[in-house]
mmCIF file of all heavy atoms in Angstrom:
data_model
loop_
_atom_site.group_PDB
_atom_site.id
_atom_site.type_symbol
_atom_site.label_atom_id
_atom_site.label_comp_id
_atom_site.label_asym_id
_atom_site.label_seq_id
_atom_site.Cartn_x
_atom_site.Cartn_y
_atom_site.Cartn_z
ATOM 1 N N LEU A 152 -3.185 24.711 -13.307
ATOM 2 C CA LEU A 152 -4.591 24.848 -13.495
ATOM 3 C C LEU A 152 -4.775 25.418 -14.934
ATOM 4 O O LEU A 152 -5.441 24.848 -15.837
ATOM 5 C CB LEU A 152 -5.308 25.690 -12.518
ATOM 6 C CG LEU A 152 -5.794 25.063 -11.270
ATOM 7 C CD1 LEU A 152 -6.563 26.135 -10.542
ATOM 8 C CD2 LEU A 152 -6.734 23.992 -11.640
ATOM 9 N N VAL A 156 -6.270 23.809 -18.328
ATOM 10 C CA VAL A 156 -7.542 24.474 -18.876
ATOM 11 C C VAL A 156 -7.258 24.770 -20.389
ATOM 12 O O VAL A 156 -8.096 24.616 -21.264
ATOM 13 C CB VAL A 156 -7.897 25.796 -18.218
ATOM 14 C CG1 VAL A 156 -8.583 26.646 -19.085
ATOM 15 C CG2 VAL A 156 -8.477 25.541 -16.883
ATOM 16 N N THR A 157 -5.938 25.050 -20.729
ATOM 17 C CA THR A 157 -5.717 25.494 -22.180
ATOM 18 C C THR A 157 -5.121 24.423 -23.029
ATOM 19 O O THR A 157 -4.576 24.554 -24.110
ATOM 20 C CB THR A 157 -4.649 26.591 -22.194
ATOM 21 O OG1 THR A 157 -3.623 26.275 -21.458
ATOM 22 C CG2 THR A 157 -5.261 27.866 -21.701
ATOM 23 N N VAL A 158 -5.178 23.061 -22.524
ATOM 24 C CA VAL A 158 -4.739 22.063 -23.343
ATOM 25 C C VAL A 158 -5.403 21.917 -24.698
ATOM 26 O O VAL A 158 -6.637 21.915 -24.806
ATOM 27 C CB VAL A 158 -4.813 20.566 -22.696
ATOM 28 C CG1 VAL A 158 -4.708 19.491 -23.716
ATOM 29 C CG2 VAL A 158 -3.919 20.471 -21.485
ATOM 30 N N VAL A 160 -5.792 24.238 -27.155
ATOM 31 C CA VAL A 160 -6.347 25.360 -27.812
ATOM 32 C C VAL A 160 -5.248 26.060 -28.554
ATOM 33 O O VAL A 160 -4.066 25.855 -28.406
ATOM 34 C CB VAL A 160 -6.987 26.489 -26.797
ATOM 35 C CG1 VAL A 160 -8.085 25.662 -25.878
ATOM 36 C CG2 VAL A 160 -5.987 27.060 -25.976
ATOM 37 N N LEU A 166 -1.685 32.549 -24.609
ATOM 38 C CA LEU A 166 -2.820 32.527 -23.850
ATOM 39 C C LEU A 166 -2.591 32.195 -22.340
ATOM 40 O O LEU A 166 -3.104 32.774 -21.449
ATOM 41 C CB LEU A 166 -3.954 31.530 -24.427
ATOM 42 C CG LEU A 166 -5.273 31.647 -23.735
ATOM 43 C CD1 LEU A 166 -6.009 32.858 -23.881
ATOM 44 C CD2 LEU A 166 -6.180 30.352 -24.237
ATOM 45 N N VAL A 169 -1.219 35.201 -20.667
ATOM 46 C CA VAL A 169 -2.374 36.197 -20.416
ATOM 47 C C VAL A 169 -3.233 35.724 -19.296
ATOM 48 O O VAL A 169 -3.716 36.486 -18.537
ATOM 49 C CB VAL A 169 -3.032 36.443 -21.759
ATOM 50 C CG1 VAL A 169 -4.307 37.142 -21.589
ATOM 51 C CG2 VAL A 169 -2.193 37.082 -22.679
ATOM 52 N N LEU A 170 -3.482 34.522 -19.095
ATOM 53 C CA LEU A 170 -4.296 33.960 -18.089
ATOM 54 C C LEU A 170 -3.722 33.960 -16.756
ATOM 55 O O LEU A 170 -4.200 34.270 -15.723
ATOM 56 C CB LEU A 170 -4.837 32.489 -18.308
ATOM 57 C CG LEU A 170 -5.840 32.390 -19.562
ATOM 58 C CD1 LEU A 170 -6.230 30.919 -19.636
ATOM 59 C CD2 LEU A 170 -6.914 33.179 -19.515
ATOM 60 N N PRO A 173 -2.012 38.031 -14.723
ATOM 61 C CA PRO A 173 -2.907 38.914 -13.882
ATOM 62 C C PRO A 173 -3.164 38.281 -12.583
ATOM 63 O O PRO A 173 -3.236 38.952 -11.485
ATOM 64 C CB PRO A 173 -4.181 39.003 -14.624
ATOM 65 C CG PRO A 173 -3.912 38.615 -16.076
ATOM 66 C CD PRO A 173 -2.733 37.764 -16.019
ATOM 67 N N LEU A 174 -3.375 36.968 -12.479
ATOM 68 C CA LEU A 174 -3.644 36.278 -11.250
ATOM 69 C C LEU A 174 -2.329 36.324 -10.357
ATOM 70 O O LEU A 174 -2.504 36.241 -9.047
ATOM 71 C CB LEU A 174 -4.000 34.845 -11.574
ATOM 72 C CG LEU A 174 -5.244 34.595 -12.277
ATOM 73 C CD1 LEU A 174 -5.498 33.138 -12.738
ATOM 74 C CD2 LEU A 174 -6.436 35.097 -11.595
ATOM 75 N N VAL A 176 -0.239 38.763 -9.912
ATOM 76 C CA VAL A 176 0.116 40.086 -9.504
ATOM 77 C C VAL A 176 0.538 40.213 -7.941
ATOM 78 O O VAL A 176 1.550 40.727 -7.594
ATOM 79 C CB VAL A 176 -0.930 41.104 -9.844
ATOM 80 C CG1 VAL A 176 -0.691 42.439 -9.089
ATOM 81 C CG2 VAL A 176 -0.835 41.349 -11.344
ATOM 82 N N PRO A 177 -0.306 39.595 -7.054
ATOM 83 C CA PRO A 177 0.048 39.800 -5.569
ATOM 84 C C PRO A 177 1.408 39.176 -5.295
ATOM 85 O O PRO A 177 2.281 39.775 -4.568
ATOM 86 C CB PRO A 177 -1.042 38.940 -4.841
ATOM 87 C CG PRO A 177 -2.135 38.794 -5.761
ATOM 88 C CD PRO A 177 -1.617 38.873 -7.221
ATOM 89 N N VAL A 180 4.227 41.462 -6.722
ATOM 90 C CA VAL A 180 4.438 42.740 -5.916
ATOM 91 C C VAL A 180 5.193 42.277 -4.649
ATOM 92 O O VAL A 180 6.114 42.934 -4.282
ATOM 93 C CB VAL A 180 2.945 43.325 -5.502
ATOM 94 C CG1 VAL A 180 3.243 44.359 -4.426
ATOM 95 C CG2 VAL A 180 2.331 43.799 -6.682
ATOM 96 N N ARG A 184 9.019 43.346 -3.593
ATOM 97 C CA ARG A 184 9.324 44.138 -2.372
ATOM 98 C C ARG A 184 10.515 43.456 -1.589
ATOM 99 O O ARG A 184 11.351 44.076 -1.025
ATOM 100 C CB ARG A 184 7.998 44.256 -1.539
ATOM 101 C CG ARG A 184 7.073 45.264 -1.840
ATOM 102 C CD ARG A 184 7.646 46.613 -1.864
ATOM 103 N NE ARG A 184 8.465 47.023 -0.671
ATOM 104 C CZ ARG A 184 9.391 48.046 -0.697
ATOM 105 N NH1 ARG A 184 9.622 48.695 -1.843
ATOM 106 N NH2 ARG A 184 9.983 48.311 0.430
ATOM 107 N N LEU A 200 5.596 41.615 6.295
ATOM 108 C CA LEU A 200 4.771 40.418 6.180
ATOM 109 C C LEU A 200 4.694 39.962 4.798
ATOM 110 O O LEU A 200 3.934 39.147 4.431
ATOM 111 C CB LEU A 200 3.317 40.890 6.747
ATOM 112 C CG LEU A 200 3.181 40.910 8.188
ATOM 113 C CD1 LEU A 200 1.858 41.454 8.525
ATOM 114 C CD2 LEU A 200 3.385 39.641 8.831
ATOM 115 N N TRP A 201 5.607 40.514 3.894
ATOM 116 C CA TRP A 201 5.501 40.027 2.557
ATOM 117 C C TRP A 201 5.605 38.639 2.324
ATOM 118 O O TRP A 201 4.928 37.960 1.558
ATOM 119 C CB TRP A 201 6.451 40.848 1.610
ATOM 120 C CG TRP A 201 6.023 42.349 1.559
ATOM 121 C CD1 TRP A 201 6.770 43.364 1.942
ATOM 122 C CD2 TRP A 201 4.955 42.814 0.738
ATOM 123 N NE1 TRP A 201 6.089 44.497 1.580
ATOM 124 C CE2 TRP A 201 4.941 44.218 0.868
ATOM 125 C CE3 TRP A 201 3.876 42.127 0.036
ATOM 126 C CZ2 TRP A 201 3.983 44.956 0.330
ATOM 127 C CZ3 TRP A 201 2.879 42.968 -0.535
ATOM 128 C CH2 TRP A 201 2.950 44.320 -0.443
ATOM 129 N N LEU A 204 2.472 36.972 3.150
ATOM 130 C CA LEU A 204 1.373 37.045 2.089
ATOM 131 C C LEU A 204 1.652 35.992 1.034
ATOM 132 O O LEU A 204 0.721 35.458 0.458
ATOM 133 C CB LEU A 204 1.497 38.499 1.580
ATOM 134 C CG LEU A 204 0.525 38.720 0.386
ATOM 135 C CD1 LEU A 204 -0.795 38.999 0.977
ATOM 136 C CD2 LEU A 204 0.903 39.988 -0.388
ATOM 137 N N TYR A 208 -0.891 33.208 -0.281
ATOM 138 C CA TYR A 208 -1.267 33.162 -1.594
ATOM 139 C C TYR A 208 -1.035 31.666 -1.983
ATOM 140 O O TYR A 208 -1.990 31.032 -2.611
ATOM 141 C CB TYR A 208 -0.458 33.983 -2.487
ATOM 142 C CG TYR A 208 -0.798 34.006 -3.924
ATOM 143 C CD1 TYR A 208 -1.526 34.926 -4.474
ATOM 144 C CD2 TYR A 208 -0.182 33.037 -4.737
ATOM 145 C CE1 TYR A 208 -1.889 34.868 -5.717
ATOM 146 C CE2 TYR A 208 -0.568 33.009 -6.132
ATOM 147 C CZ TYR A 208 -1.357 33.946 -6.632
ATOM 148 O OH TYR A 208 -1.748 33.917 -7.973
ATOM 149 N N VAL A 211 -3.667 29.288 -0.442
ATOM 150 C CA VAL A 211 -5.053 29.479 -1.015
ATOM 151 C C VAL A 211 -5.099 28.868 -2.364
ATOM 152 O O VAL A 211 -5.961 28.071 -2.618
ATOM 153 C CB VAL A 211 -5.326 30.923 -0.995
ATOM 154 C CG1 VAL A 211 -6.533 31.262 -1.963
ATOM 155 C CG2 VAL A 211 -5.539 31.547 0.318
ATOM 156 N N PHE A 212 -4.154 29.044 -3.268
ATOM 157 C CA PHE A 212 -4.390 28.593 -4.657
ATOM 158 C C PHE A 212 -4.046 27.086 -4.817
ATOM 159 O O PHE A 212 -4.562 26.490 -5.687
ATOM 160 C CB PHE A 212 -3.460 29.425 -5.520
ATOM 161 C CG PHE A 212 -4.274 30.660 -5.977
ATOM 162 C CD1 PHE A 212 -3.892 31.956 -5.388
ATOM 163 C CD2 PHE A 212 -5.255 30.539 -6.918
ATOM 164 C CE1 PHE A 212 -4.754 32.984 -5.535
ATOM 165 C CE2 PHE A 212 -6.048 31.723 -7.190
ATOM 166 C CZ PHE A 212 -5.699 32.893 -6.529
ATOM 167 N N VAL A 215 -7.334 25.855 -3.644
ATOM 168 C CA VAL A 215 -8.329 25.932 -4.805
ATOM 169 C C VAL A 215 -8.114 25.027 -5.953
ATOM 170 O O VAL A 215 -9.006 24.392 -6.463
ATOM 171 C CB VAL A 215 -8.289 27.370 -5.387
ATOM 172 C CG1 VAL A 215 -9.115 27.512 -6.641
ATOM 173 C CG2 VAL A 215 -8.827 28.414 -4.373
ATOM 174 N N ILE A 219 -10.670 22.007 -7.334
ATOM 175 C CA ILE A 219 -11.244 22.426 -8.578
ATOM 176 C C ILE A 219 -10.676 21.597 -9.744
ATOM 177 O O ILE A 219 -11.223 21.519 -10.874
ATOM 178 C CB ILE A 219 -11.394 23.877 -8.923
ATOM 179 C CG1 ILE A 219 -12.626 24.268 -9.568
ATOM 180 C CG2 ILE A 219 -9.986 24.230 -9.755
ATOM 181 C CD1 ILE A 219 -12.679 25.782 -9.571
ATOM 182 N N PHE A 222 -12.664 19.061 -11.995
ATOM 183 C CA PHE A 222 -13.597 19.558 -12.928
ATOM 184 C C PHE A 222 -12.861 19.806 -14.202
ATOM 185 O O PHE A 222 -13.489 19.820 -15.361
ATOM 186 C CB PHE A 222 -14.202 20.813 -12.452
ATOM 187 C CG PHE A 222 -15.100 20.638 -11.395
ATOM 188 C CD1 PHE A 222 -14.858 21.279 -10.079
ATOM 189 C CD2 PHE A 222 -16.335 19.899 -11.424
ATOM 190 C CE1 PHE A 222 -15.791 21.110 -9.097
ATOM 191 C CE2 PHE A 222 -17.109 19.715 -10.357
ATOM 192 C CZ PHE A 222 -16.916 20.337 -9.169
ATOM 193 N N VAL A 223 -11.612 20.063 -14.153
ATOM 194 C CA VAL A 223 -10.797 20.498 -15.356
ATOM 195 C C VAL A 223 -10.695 19.139 -16.300
ATOM 196 O O VAL A 223 -10.575 19.303 -17.551
ATOM 197 C CB VAL A 223 -9.468 21.000 -14.991
ATOM 198 C CG1 VAL A 223 -8.706 21.388 -16.287
ATOM 199 C CG2 VAL A 223 -9.600 22.167 -14.116
ATOM 200 N N GLU A 225 -12.128 15.931 -16.228
ATOM 201 C CA GLU A 225 -13.004 14.783 -16.245
ATOM 202 C C GLU A 225 -13.164 14.219 -17.562
ATOM 203 O O GLU A 225 -12.940 14.857 -18.614
ATOM 204 C CB GLU A 225 -14.335 15.144 -15.510
ATOM 205 C CG GLU A 225 -15.066 16.236 -16.269
ATOM 206 C CD GLU A 225 -16.231 16.729 -15.418
ATOM 207 O OE1 GLU A 225 -16.210 16.704 -14.182
ATOM 208 O OE2 GLU A 225 -17.168 17.105 -15.983
ATOM 209 N N LEU B 73 -20.894 24.249 -12.500
ATOM 210 C CA LEU B 73 -20.190 23.195 -12.119
ATOM 211 C C LEU B 73 -20.887 22.077 -11.328
ATOM 212 O O LEU B 73 -20.808 20.928 -11.388
ATOM 213 C CB LEU B 73 -18.923 23.558 -11.352
ATOM 214 C CG LEU B 73 -17.801 24.205 -12.150
ATOM 215 C CD1 LEU B 73 -16.755 24.607 -11.230
ATOM 216 C CD2 LEU B 73 -17.355 23.317 -13.234
ATOM 217 N N ARG B 76 -24.336 21.376 -14.080
ATOM 218 C CA ARG B 76 -24.099 20.980 -15.548
ATOM 219 C C ARG B 76 -25.232 21.542 -16.457
ATOM 220 O O ARG B 76 -25.516 20.767 -17.376
ATOM 221 C CB ARG B 76 -23.822 19.614 -15.624
ATOM 222 C CG ARG B 76 -22.622 19.060 -14.776
ATOM 223 C CD ARG B 76 -21.490 19.863 -15.209
ATOM 224 N NE ARG B 76 -20.456 19.744 -14.093
ATOM 225 C CZ ARG B 76 -19.292 19.064 -14.289
ATOM 226 N NH1 ARG B 76 -19.074 18.503 -15.428
ATOM 227 N NH2 ARG B 76 -18.441 19.032 -13.354
ATOM 228 N N ILE B 125 -6.273 45.236 -13.007
ATOM 229 C CA ILE B 125 -6.039 43.844 -13.055
ATOM 230 C C ILE B 125 -7.204 43.045 -13.294
ATOM 231 O O ILE B 125 -7.220 42.053 -13.869
ATOM 232 C CB ILE B 125 -5.252 43.416 -11.842
ATOM 233 C CG1 ILE B 125 -3.903 44.084 -11.806
ATOM 234 C CG2 ILE B 125 -5.211 41.842 -11.644
ATOM 235 C CD1 ILE B 125 -3.068 44.234 -10.575
ATOM 236 N N PHE B 128 -8.015 42.606 -16.871
ATOM 237 C CA PHE B 128 -7.155 41.577 -17.522
ATOM 238 C C PHE B 128 -7.671 40.262 -17.270
ATOM 239 O O PHE B 128 -7.723 39.489 -18.106
ATOM 240 C CB PHE B 128 -5.727 41.791 -17.121
ATOM 241 C CG PHE B 128 -4.845 42.733 -17.842
ATOM 242 C CD1 PHE B 128 -4.596 43.877 -17.217
ATOM 243 C CD2 PHE B 128 -4.520 42.499 -19.115
ATOM 244 C CE1 PHE B 128 -3.753 44.907 -17.920
ATOM 245 C CE2 PHE B 128 -3.835 43.492 -19.813
ATOM 246 C CZ PHE B 128 -3.377 44.715 -19.212
ATOM 247 N N ILE B 129 -8.268 40.122 -16.040
ATOM 248 C CA ILE B 129 -8.889 38.735 -15.526
ATOM 249 C C ILE B 129 -10.083 38.570 -16.462
ATOM 250 O O ILE B 129 -10.237 37.477 -17.058
ATOM 251 C CB ILE B 129 -9.129 38.568 -14.175
ATOM 252 C CG1 ILE B 129 -7.749 38.635 -13.466
ATOM 253 C CG2 ILE B 129 -9.768 37.421 -13.827
ATOM 254 C CD1 ILE B 129 -7.872 38.721 -11.859
ATOM 255 N N GLY B 132 -9.256 37.885 -20.035
ATOM 256 C CA GLY B 132 -8.556 36.542 -20.177
ATOM 257 C C GLY B 132 -9.629 35.471 -20.118
ATOM 258 O O GLY B 132 -9.607 34.486 -20.999
ATOM 259 N N LEU B 136 -10.433 32.959 -23.322
ATOM 260 C CA LEU B 136 -10.416 31.513 -23.145
ATOM 261 C C LEU B 136 -11.663 30.988 -23.849
ATOM 262 O O LEU B 136 -11.730 30.041 -24.466
ATOM 263 C CB LEU B 136 -10.458 31.225 -21.639
ATOM 264 C CG LEU B 136 -10.479 29.758 -21.202
ATOM 265 C CD1 LEU B 136 -9.259 29.073 -21.818
ATOM 266 C CD2 LEU B 136 -10.481 29.659 -19.757
ATOM 267 N N VAL B 139 -11.428 31.091 -27.766
ATOM 268 C CA VAL B 139 -10.550 30.254 -28.514
ATOM 269 C C VAL B 139 -10.979 28.754 -28.401
ATOM 270 O O VAL B 139 -10.682 27.935 -29.236
ATOM 271 C CB VAL B 139 -8.990 30.292 -28.125
ATOM 272 C CG1 VAL B 139 -8.469 31.681 -28.420
ATOM 273 C CG2 VAL B 139 -8.850 30.006 -26.655
ATOM 274 N N ARG B 148 -16.871 24.130 -18.623
ATOM 275 C CA ARG B 148 -16.099 23.667 -17.516
ATOM 276 C C ARG B 148 -14.863 24.441 -17.275
ATOM 277 O O ARG B 148 -14.685 24.991 -16.171
ATOM 278 C CB ARG B 148 -15.819 22.194 -17.611
ATOM 279 C CG ARG B 148 -16.148 21.294 -16.574
ATOM 280 C CD ARG B 148 -16.054 19.783 -17.070
ATOM 281 N NE ARG B 148 -14.671 19.629 -17.603
ATOM 282 C CZ ARG B 148 -14.459 18.874 -18.666
ATOM 283 N NH1 ARG B 148 -15.392 18.223 -19.316
ATOM 284 N NH2 ARG B 148 -13.323 18.801 -19.004
ATOM 285 N N LEU B 149 -14.083 24.575 -18.418
ATOM 286 C CA LEU B 149 -12.818 25.342 -18.181
ATOM 287 C C LEU B 149 -13.044 26.817 -17.890
ATOM 288 O O LEU B 149 -12.303 27.258 -17.029
ATOM 289 C CB LEU B 149 -12.042 25.157 -19.559
ATOM 290 C CG LEU B 149 -11.796 23.750 -19.848
ATOM 291 C CD1 LEU B 149 -10.999 23.668 -21.214
ATOM 292 C CD2 LEU B 149 -11.128 22.824 -18.795
ATOM 293 N N VAL B 152 -13.885 27.193 -14.252
ATOM 294 C CA VAL B 152 -12.799 27.052 -13.337
ATOM 295 C C VAL B 152 -11.872 28.328 -13.338
ATOM 296 O O VAL B 152 -11.633 28.771 -12.297
ATOM 297 C CB VAL B 152 -11.826 25.854 -13.890
ATOM 298 C CG1 VAL B 152 -10.420 25.910 -13.211
ATOM 299 C CG2 VAL B 152 -12.520 24.609 -13.570
ATOM 300 N N TYR B 153 -11.836 28.872 -14.529
ATOM 301 C CA TYR B 153 -11.025 30.159 -14.465
ATOM 302 C C TYR B 153 -11.780 31.336 -13.809
ATOM 303 O O TYR B 153 -11.229 32.084 -13.088
ATOM 304 C CB TYR B 153 -10.697 30.685 -15.946
ATOM 305 C CG TYR B 153 -9.634 31.754 -16.029
ATOM 306 C CD1 TYR B 153 -8.361 31.657 -15.565
ATOM 307 C CD2 TYR B 153 -10.057 32.966 -16.426
ATOM 308 C CE1 TYR B 153 -7.456 32.686 -15.655
ATOM 309 C CE2 TYR B 153 -9.142 34.040 -16.411
ATOM 310 C CZ TYR B 153 -7.925 33.891 -16.126
ATOM 311 O OH TYR B 153 -6.947 35.038 -16.004
ATOM 312 N N VAL B 155 -13.817 31.004 -11.287
ATOM 313 C CA VAL B 155 -13.650 30.838 -9.868
ATOM 314 C C VAL B 155 -12.321 31.245 -9.275
ATOM 315 O O VAL B 155 -12.265 32.090 -8.437
ATOM 316 C CB VAL B 155 -13.972 29.421 -9.419
ATOM 317 C CG1 VAL B 155 -13.633 29.177 -8.017
ATOM 318 C CG2 VAL B 155 -15.471 28.981 -9.714
ATOM 319 N N VAL B 156 -11.296 30.951 -9.966
ATOM 320 C CA VAL B 156 -9.913 31.193 -9.656
ATOM 321 C C VAL B 156 -9.747 32.631 -9.662
ATOM 322 O O VAL B 156 -9.148 33.388 -8.760
ATOM 323 C CB VAL B 156 -8.763 30.525 -10.480
ATOM 324 C CG1 VAL B 156 -7.439 30.947 -10.228
ATOM 325 C CG2 VAL B 156 -8.868 29.002 -10.341
ATOM 326 N N GLY B 157 -10.316 33.415 -10.728
ATOM 327 C CA GLY B 157 -10.272 34.822 -10.810
ATOM 328 C C GLY B 157 -10.812 35.546 -9.717
ATOM 329 O O GLY B 157 -10.238 36.575 -9.147
ATOM 330 N N VAL B 159 -11.334 34.450 -6.621
ATOM 331 C CA VAL B 159 -10.553 34.352 -5.520
ATOM 332 C C VAL B 159 -9.429 35.152 -5.388
ATOM 333 O O VAL B 159 -9.009 35.752 -4.453
ATOM 334 C CB VAL B 159 -10.140 32.713 -5.265
ATOM 335 C CG1 VAL B 159 -9.096 32.649 -4.278
ATOM 336 C CG2 VAL B 159 -11.256 31.789 -5.228
ATOM 337 N N ASP B 160 -8.881 35.535 -6.554
ATOM 338 C CA ASP B 160 -7.628 36.310 -6.741
ATOM 339 C C ASP B 160 -7.922 37.802 -6.363
ATOM 340 O O ASP B 160 -7.009 38.459 -5.795
ATOM 341 C CB ASP B 160 -7.138 36.267 -8.130
ATOM 342 C CG ASP B 160 -5.673 36.744 -8.170
ATOM 343 O OD1 ASP B 160 -4.794 36.224 -7.401
ATOM 344 O OD2 ASP B 160 -5.346 37.514 -9.130
ATOM 345 N N ILE B 163 -7.083 39.318 -2.803
ATOM 346 C CA ILE B 163 -5.671 39.175 -2.612
ATOM 347 C C ILE B 163 -4.845 40.253 -3.437
ATOM 348 O O ILE B 163 -3.947 40.881 -3.003
ATOM 349 C CB ILE B 163 -5.069 37.741 -2.879
ATOM 350 C CG1 ILE B 163 -5.925 36.688 -2.296
ATOM 351 C CG2 ILE B 163 -3.655 37.677 -2.467
ATOM 352 C CD1 ILE B 163 -5.422 35.222 -2.552
ATOM 353 N N VAL B 164 -5.286 40.494 -4.635
ATOM 354 C CA VAL B 164 -4.641 41.520 -5.394
ATOM 355 C C VAL B 164 -4.902 42.905 -4.724
ATOM 356 O O VAL B 164 -3.877 43.678 -4.448
ATOM 357 C CB VAL B 164 -5.344 41.707 -6.759
ATOM 358 C CG1 VAL B 164 -4.924 42.893 -7.530
ATOM 359 C CG2 VAL B 164 -4.939 40.454 -7.627
ATOM 360 N N LEU B 166 -5.434 43.554 -1.509
ATOM 361 C CA LEU B 166 -4.594 43.501 -0.275
ATOM 362 C C LEU B 166 -3.057 43.927 -0.600
ATOM 363 O O LEU B 166 -2.504 44.698 0.006
ATOM 364 C CB LEU B 166 -4.883 42.182 0.439
ATOM 365 C CG LEU B 166 -3.995 42.040 1.735
ATOM 366 C CD1 LEU B 166 -4.670 42.939 2.707
ATOM 367 C CD2 LEU B 166 -3.887 40.662 2.222
ATOM 368 N N SER B 167 -2.546 43.121 -1.592
ATOM 369 C CA SER B 167 -1.124 43.406 -1.837
ATOM 370 C C SER B 167 -0.824 44.722 -2.385
ATOM 371 O O SER B 167 0.180 45.372 -2.017
ATOM 372 C CB SER B 167 -0.695 42.269 -2.966
ATOM 373 O OG SER B 167 -1.198 42.487 -4.097
ATOM 374 N N TRP B 170 -0.961 47.222 0.486
ATOM 375 C CA TRP B 170 0.247 47.175 1.320
ATOM 376 C C TRP B 170 1.390 47.810 0.551
ATOM 377 O O TRP B 170 2.118 48.580 1.125
ATOM 378 C CB TRP B 170 0.592 45.659 1.489
ATOM 379 C CG TRP B 170 -0.035 45.126 2.804
ATOM 380 C CD1 TRP B 170 -0.841 45.805 3.470
ATOM 381 C CD2 TRP B 170 0.352 43.793 3.374
ATOM 382 N NE1 TRP B 170 -1.285 44.838 4.558
ATOM 383 C CE2 TRP B 170 -0.553 43.800 4.416
ATOM 384 C CE3 TRP B 170 1.058 42.767 2.910
ATOM 385 C CZ2 TRP B 170 -0.536 42.480 5.238
ATOM 386 C CZ3 TRP B 170 1.083 41.713 3.733
ATOM 387 C CH2 TRP B 170 0.179 41.519 4.850
ATOM 388 N N TRP B 171 1.433 47.545 -0.709
ATOM 389 C CA TRP B 171 2.522 48.085 -1.595
ATOM 390 C C TRP B 171 2.514 49.634 -1.418
ATOM 391 O O TRP B 171 3.515 50.238 -1.369
ATOM 392 C CB TRP B 171 2.363 47.547 -3.015
ATOM 393 C CG TRP B 171 3.277 48.096 -3.990
ATOM 394 C CD1 TRP B 171 4.746 48.030 -3.954
ATOM 395 C CD2 TRP B 171 3.007 48.675 -5.354
ATOM 396 N NE1 TRP B 171 5.190 48.464 -5.056
ATOM 397 C CE2 TRP B 171 4.244 48.977 -5.913
ATOM 398 C CE3 TRP B 171 1.758 48.809 -5.971
ATOM 399 C CZ2 TRP B 171 4.246 49.410 -7.140
ATOM 400 C CZ3 TRP B 171 1.869 49.373 -7.252
ATOM 401 C CH2 TRP B 171 3.025 49.621 -7.876
ATOM 402 N N VAL B 174 3.723 51.201 1.668
ATOM 403 C CA VAL B 174 5.306 51.211 1.687
ATOM 404 C C VAL B 174 5.728 52.487 1.021
ATOM 405 O O VAL B 174 6.626 53.160 1.544
ATOM 406 C CB VAL B 174 5.742 49.913 1.138
ATOM 407 C CG1 VAL B 174 7.346 49.958 1.057
ATOM 408 C CG2 VAL B 174 5.458 48.646 2.008
#
Side-chain angles (χ1 to χ4, degrees):
Chain A
L152 273 181
V156 161
T157 52
V158 165
V160 304
L166 182 65
V169 167
L170 293 184
L174 297 175
V176 164
V180 169
R184 281 307 307 159
L200 287 173
W201 288 112
L204 179 78
Y208 180 99
V211 166
F212 278 97
V215 169
I219 218 166
F222 293 115
V223 181
E225 59 191 31
Chain B
L73 289 178
R76 297 310 161 102
I125 290 158
F128 278 106
I129 294 176
L136 181 61
V139 297
R148 230 170 51 219
L149 303 184
V152 166
Y153 191 68
V155 170
V156 174
V159 172
D160 196 51
I163 310 181
V164 169
L166 182 72
S167 67
W170 272 5
W171 177 51
V174 171

